[in-house]
C-alpha cells in the first residue's frame, strides 16, 4: 500500500471512530469496531516495521505476550495496577484479559519509541524513561474513555495512583528492552500512529467533558 495513502487512511479511520463513537445513531457500531481497529493498527506496525526480520518479529511477539501476561496478573491479583476488570468492548478474552491488550501495548511502545528517537536524547535509560512518560501521559487520557466505553472498570470511583505508577514502570521496562535491541526505531508512520493515539483519546476526553 502506498505510504501516503496509508497515512491518510489511518487519519480518516481514527477520525471516523472518534466521531462515530459519540453519535447516538452510530455509537454501538463504531464501539464494536474498536478491537478491529487495534488489530489493524498492530498489523500495520508489523508489516511496515523498519527492516523487518525474524528476530525483530520474535521480539515484538514476546513483548506483546509479556504485556498481556502482565495484565493477566494485574487482573488476577489486583496488586500491580489496582483492582480492575475488563469489559466486553475489547473483544475475545483469555484468562479474563482481551488478547488485544497485548497488541495495544505493542503499538504504544513502538509508536512512542519512534517519537523519542526523533528527539535525539542521549542514553538508553533516558530514552526509556521519556518513552514511559509519554505512555503514562497517554494513559491519563485513556482511563476516563476506557471506563465510559466499558474497555475496563475499576473497583473504586477513581483510578488509583498505583495504576499510573505501574504503567510508568512497565512502560519503562518495555522501552528499555526495545532500546537494547539492534532494530531500527525511526519511522514517520509510527510517529503518526503515536500522534493519532494522543489525538483520538484527547478528542474522546473533550467530548466527555461536554457530555457529547
Amino acid at each position: 500500500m502506498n505510504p501516503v495513502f496509508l497515512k491518510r487512511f489511518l487519519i480518516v479511520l481514527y477520525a471516523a471512530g472518534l466521531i462515530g463513537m459519540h453519535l447516538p445513531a452510530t455509537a454501538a457500531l463504531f464501539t464494536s469496531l474498536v478491537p478491529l481497529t487495534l488489530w489493524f493498527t498492530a498489523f500495520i506496525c508489523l508489516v511496515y516495521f523498519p527492516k523487518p526480520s525474524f528476530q525483530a518479529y520474535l521480539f515484538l511477539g514476546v513483548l506483546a505476550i509479556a504485556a498481556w501476561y502482565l495484565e493477566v496478573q494485574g487482573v488476577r491479583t489486583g496488586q500491580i495496577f489496582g483492582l480492575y476488570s475488563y469489559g466486553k468492548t475489547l473483544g475475545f478474552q483469555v484468562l479474563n484479559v482481551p488478547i488485544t491488550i497485548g497488541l495495544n501495548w505493542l503499538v504504544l511502545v513502538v509508536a512512542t519509541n519512534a517519537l523519542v528517537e526523533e528527539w535525539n536524547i542521549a542514553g538508553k535509560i533516558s530514552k526509556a524513561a521519556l518513552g514511559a512518560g509519554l505512555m503514562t501521559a497517554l494513559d491519563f487520557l485513556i482511563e476516563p474513555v476506557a471506563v465510559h466505553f466499558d474497555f475496563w472498570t475499576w473497583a473504586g470511583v477513581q483510578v488509583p495512583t498505583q495504576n499510573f505508577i505501574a504503567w510508568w514502570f512497565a512502560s519503562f521496562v518495555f522501552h528499555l528492552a526495545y532500546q537494547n535491541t539492534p532494530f531500527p526505531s525511526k519511522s514517520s508512520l509510527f510517529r503518526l500512529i503515536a500522534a493519532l493515539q494522543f489525538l483520538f483519546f484527547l478528542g474522546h476526553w473533550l467530548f466527555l467533558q461536554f457530555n457529547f
Side-chain angles (χ1 to χ4, degrees), residues 103-144:
L103 297 177
N104 189 56
W105 276 91
L106 170 63
V107 168
L108 294 182
V109 170
V110 298
T112 53
N113 187 74
L115 283 179
V116 170
E117 287 297 328
E118 284 300 311
W119 296 335
N120 296 317
I121 297 170
K124 295 177 181 179
I125 293 178
S126 297
K127 290 179 179 179
L130 180 57
L134 288 173
M135 287 185 60
T136 305
L138 178 58
D139 190 42
F140 274 98
L141 295 176
I142 291 175
E143 290 298 338

Side-chain angles (χ1 to χ4, degrees), residues 15 17 40 65 74 76 80 85 87 89 106 121 137 148 154 179 181-182:
F40 179 74
I65 293 172
R76 185 181 69 84
I80 301 175
S85 60
T89 302
L106 170 63
I121 297 170
H148 180 79
W154 294 94
Q179 287 292 327
T181 69

Side-chain angles (χ1 to χ4, degrees), residues 78-92:
Q79 298 297 312
I80 301 175
F81 302 101
L83 294 173
Y84 68 109
S85 60
Y86 281 97
K88 297 181 179 180
T89 302
L90 295 180
F92 179 71

Side-chain angles (χ1 to χ4, degrees), residues 66-86 95-97 101 105 153-155 160 162-163 166-167 170:
W68 170 82
Y69 185 72
L70 176 67
E71 295 274 1
V72 169
Q73 294 304 313
V75 169
R76 185 181 69 84
T77 67
Q79 298 297 312
I80 301 175
F81 302 101
L83 294 173
Y84 68 109
S85 60
Y86 281 97
L95 300 178
N96 299 315
V97 175
I101 284 297
W105 276 91
T153 54
W154 294 94
Q162 173 187 351
N163 169 68
W167 247 80

Side-chain angles (χ1 to χ4, degrees), residues 6-89:
L6 177 59
K7 290 177 181 178
R8 291 174 179 172
F9 179 78
L10 284 171
I11 292 171
V12 172
L13 177 67
Y14 275 81
L18 170 61
I19 297 172
M21 289 172 71
H22 287 274
L23 295 177
T26 59
L29 171 62
F30 278 91
T31 301
S32 71
L33 294 176
V34 168
L36 291 179
T37 303
L38 284 173
W39 276 100
F40 179 74
T41 306
F43 175 75
I44 292 301
C45 287
L46 294 176
V47 171
Y48 290 89
F49 190 79
K51 297 182 180 179
S53 65
F54 173 78
Q55 290 78 11
Y57 286 138
L58 178 62
F59 170 78
L60 295 174
V62 170
L63 189 156
I65 293 172
W68 170 82
Y69 185 72
L70 176 67
E71 295 274 1
V72 169
Q73 294 304 313
V75 169
R76 185 181 69 84
T77 67
Q79 298 297 312
I80 301 175
F81 302 101
L83 294 173
Y84 68 109
S85 60
Y86 281 97
K88 297 181 179 180
T89 302

